[in-house]
């Protein structure tokens, strides 16, 4: 069942969202040639804990870090560590924070040094796909409209949409109902209502849609090794339309 949030709860989720967004912003500012993904993880952990919040992902299903740092052909759930970022890489950073019992969840793909035009276009289209999805988050519509808007934006640009991972409801749990696929399924999905809070998170590949998981049990990669990009915000549906809660 989808848990609808009151106005008061949405205000509380804005606090968790703000910490999540500020942590992501700090990590983004630190992304540069020569830094390791483990150093980025430490920056996020320190900030979230200093803010009185708890990293959402650390320990979730046994996940060992605060952030996911997924480089190039890695789609999501890359485990940070000793990998050094190089010019031309793209790195998707995903992180969440729990504050006063509520979760914020957001992700963004960053360029490292000088990246190719195609890589930049992939990043731009992924962000556009998110905003197209968010614009479809309207009272009375079906969840499938969000999925369709994301998929159309990505595929019209010649890219493909990952099928194995989806967005999700979010609140007191990191993952709540409903699932938010980035592609149209046979199911129209629930009607969208004020009080719904969704993590809308397109994962877009430059090549084919197929993925596999590395032997670490976490890191999802594109099967054809083409680059992948990720963009995510926690979004609430209010009387005034969709509102991003993960704002810095
Ligand atoms: N942002 C991811 C999601 O929405 C969370 C990563 S899963 C974790 O599903 F295990 F790393 F926490
Ligand atoms: Co998410």
């Amino acid at each position: 069942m989808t848990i609808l949030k009151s106005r008061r709860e949405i205000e509380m989720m804005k606090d968790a969202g703000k910490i999540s967004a500020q942590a992501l912003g700090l990590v983004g500012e630190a992304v540069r040639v020569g830094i390791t993904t483990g150093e980025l993880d430490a920056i996020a952990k320190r900030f979230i804990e200093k803010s009185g919040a708890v990293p959402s992902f650390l320990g979730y299903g046994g996940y060992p870090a605060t952030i996911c740092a997924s480089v190039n052909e890695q789609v999501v759930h890359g485990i940070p560590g000793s990998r050094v970022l190089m010019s031309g890489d793209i790195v998707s950073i995903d992180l969440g924070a729990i504050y006063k019992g509520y979760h914020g969840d957001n992700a963004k793909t960053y360029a490292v040094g000088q990246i190719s035009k195609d890589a930049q276009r992939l990043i731009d289209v992924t962000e556009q796909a998110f905003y197209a999805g968010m614009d479809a988050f309207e009272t009375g519509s079906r969840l499938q409209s969000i999925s369709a808007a994301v998929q159309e934006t990505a595929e019209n640009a010649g890219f493909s949409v990952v099928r194995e991972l989806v967005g999700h409801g979010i609140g007191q749990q990191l993952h709540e109902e409903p699932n938010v696929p980035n592609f149209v399924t046979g199911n129209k999905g629930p009607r969208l209502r004020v009080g719904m809070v969704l993590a809308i998170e397109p994962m877009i590949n430059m090549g084919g849609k197929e993925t596999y998981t590395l032997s670490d049990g976490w890191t999802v990669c594109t099967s054809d090794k083409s680059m992948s990009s990720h963009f995510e915000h926690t979004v609430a549906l209010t009387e005034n339309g969709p509102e991003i809660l993960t704002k810095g």
Side-chain angles (χ1 to χ4, degrees), residues 16 35 48 65 120 133 136 142 144 172 178 200 213 215-216 227 233:
I35 198 163
I48 291 170
Q120 188 59 56
R142 296 283 191 156
Q144 194 181 56
Q172 289 183 298
I200 301 175
T213 303
S215 59
D216 64 16
M227 282 186 165
H233 276 300

Side-chain angles (χ1 to χ4, degrees), residues 193-245:
R193 298 178 58 186
V194 169
M196 279 188 175
V197 183
L198 303 178
I200 301 175
E201 49 177 322
M203 288 153 269
I204 309 296
N205 301 345
M206 202 180 278
K209 64 182 188 303
E210 292 75 21
T211 67
Y212 71 101
T213 303
L214 293 185
S215 59
D216 64 16
W218 284 103
T219 315
V220 178
C221 298
T222 59
S223 297
D224 60 9
K225 302 291 162 84
S226 69
M227 282 186 165
S228 187
S229 172
H230 186 199
F231 194 82
E232 174 181 29
H233 276 300
T234 300
V235 187
L237 188 51
T238 74
E239 277 95 358
N240 304 316
E243 185 176 353
I244 294 178
L245 303 184

Side-chain angles (χ1 to χ4, degrees), residues 57 94 105-106 166-168 170 174-175 199-201 230 232 234:
F57 300 176
D94 189 354
D105 186 6
N106 58 182
V166 296
H168 49 94
I170 178 168
L174 176 59
H175 294 137
I200 301 175
E201 49 177 322
H230 186 199
E232 174 181 29
T234 300

Side-chain angles (χ1 to χ4, degrees), residues 46-69:
R46 204 178 314 123
F47 178 81
I48 291 170
E49 288 174 348
K50 193 190 78 187
S51 306
V54 173
S56 293
F57 300 176
L58 188 60
Y60 186 88
Y63 187 74
T66 294
I67 69 170
C68 301

Side-chain angles (χ1 to χ4, degrees), residues 28-44:
E29 282 169 24
V31 167
R32 57 175 167 78
V33 174
I35 198 163
T36 66
T37 54
E39 289 172 293
L40 297 176
D41 187 71
I43 290 168

Side-chain angles (χ1 to χ4, degrees), residues 38-210:
E39 289 172 293
L40 297 176
D41 187 71
I43 290 168
K45 185 166 193 282
R46 204 178 314 123
F47 178 81
I48 291 170
E49 288 174 348
K50 193 190 78 187
S51 306
V54 173
S56 293
F57 300 176
L58 188 60
Y60 186 88
Y63 187 74
T66 294
I67 69 170
C68 301
S70 310
V71 184
N72 296 338
E73 79 284 358
Q74 299 176 349
V75 178
V76 287
H77 302 169
I79 301 172
S82 58
R83 180 164 182 163
V84 177
L85 296 178
M86 303 199 314
S87 187
D89 285 345
I90 63 172
V91 59
S92 301
I93 306 294
D94 189 354
L95 65 83
I98 315 168
Y99 187 69
K100 295 191 180 156
Y102 288 89
H103 287 260
D105 186 6
N106 58 182
K108 187 176 162 100
T109 299
Y110 296 95
V112 185
Q114 198 64 37
I115 64 168
S116 71
K117 272 213 176 75
D118 279 351
Q120 188 59 56
R121 199 168 71 87
L122 177 69
I123 291 173
D124 294 344
V125 167
T126 306
E127 294 199 13
Q128 287 160 16
F130 164 82
Y131 285 105
M134 186 178 85
D135 287 345
F137 190 11
E138 293 180 308
T139 306
S141 296
R142 296 283 191 156
L143 184 81
Q144 194 181 56
S145 338
I146 298 175
S147 309
V150 170
Q151 182 172 22
E152 243 179 66
T153 307
E155 292 182 354
N156 285 346
F159 299 139
S160 69
V161 171
V162 171
R163 303 299 200 269
E164 289 83 359
L165 298 133
V166 296
H168 49 94
I170 178 168
Q172 289 183 298
Q173 304 295 326
L174 176 59
H175 294 137
E176 296 182 357
E177 285 183 27
N179 279 345
V180 185
N182 296 305
F183 53 95
V184 171
T185 67
N187 188 340
K188 284 202 184 77
R191 219 170 267 289
L192 302 173
R193 298 178 58 186
V194 169
M196 279 188 175
V197 183
L198 303 178
I200 301 175
E201 49 177 322
M203 288 153 269
I204 309 296
N205 301 345
M206 202 180 278
K209 64 182 188 303
E210 292 75 21

